[in-house]
Amino acid sequence: MSLKFTPDVSLDLDPIINCAVVHPGLTIWAFCNQNFHVRTIKKILSIAPTFAFLTFFQSVLDVLLMWGAYRRTHHHIVMRMLIRLVWFGALLGGVIFLYVKTLLEDRQGTGSTIWFRIFYLVLGSYAILHLLIGMLSHIPWLRIRTAEWSKYRVIRFIKAVHQ
């Protein structure tokens, strides 16, 4: 008889990540001298690589701190951790690539904003998706409806990765 270890393995670094991301954004906004334009938005969006790195680092710590407990942990929990690690690694790579391209585009001064628009679209869609999933898991009426949909594998997968 072997016992399975099923802890909530995710570190709760969300308050630290929020502080590290929100305060610089508010500082940039506070010192923009009442001139809120595209350059200010680009400065505020410079926080995205910090957020991506901190979430990736949180996933790396989840994997490293569970190193000895893999044999006794349910396989779906280990897979959830690895999928989060791959997801946030891809997010980190994509955000840094788009941010560097946006900076190079701004430095060239050609007036082209295609990389900025792609960067803005990617960050906006990620934020909307994160907000939607957060609402589905925190608002009681929506949580009840989501529990009814849990028979579908896609919903269970999204809920597991979002935890």
Side-chain angles (χ1 to χ4, degrees), residues 52-158:
F53 175 76
L54 289 174
T55 53
F56 177 70
F57 185 66
Q58 179 182 6
S59 295
V60 168
L61 285 178
D62 285 343
V63 170
L64 289 178
L65 294 176
M66 281 292 295
W67 189 259
Y70 283 127
R71 286 185 286 142
R72 295 196 180 262
T73 305
H74 284 287
H75 296 294
H76 71 278
I77 293 175
V78 174
M79 286 305 296
R80 181 183 75 186
M81 287 173 38
L82 294 177
I83 288 171
R84 283 177 58 100
L85 181 69
V86 170
W87 166 251
F88 287 128
L91 180 72
L92 176 64
V95 164
I96 288 176
F97 174 77
L98 288 173
Y99 183 66
V100 168
K101 285 293 194 178
T102 301
L103 288 178
L104 292 175
E105 181 180 70
D106 195 34
R107 181 175 288 170
Q108 290 174 351
T110 60
S112 174
T113 61
I114 188 70
W115 287 109
F116 172 66
R117 289 180 186 187
I118 293 171
F119 184 54
Y120 190 71
L121 180 68
V122 167
L123 289 182
S125 60
Y126 178 78
I128 289 171
L129 182 67
H130 196 69
L131 181 68
L132 178 67
I133 292 172
M135 285 175 45
L136 288 175
S137 63
H138 287 92
I139 297 176
W141 185 80
L142 292 174
R143 190 175 352 147
I144 292 169
R145 298 296 171 252
T146 307
E148 294 172 358
W149 301 332
S150 291
K151 61 184 173 186
Y152 300 110
R153 294 187 90 155
V154 174
I155 301 298
R156 285 194 313 253
F157 175 75
I158 291 171

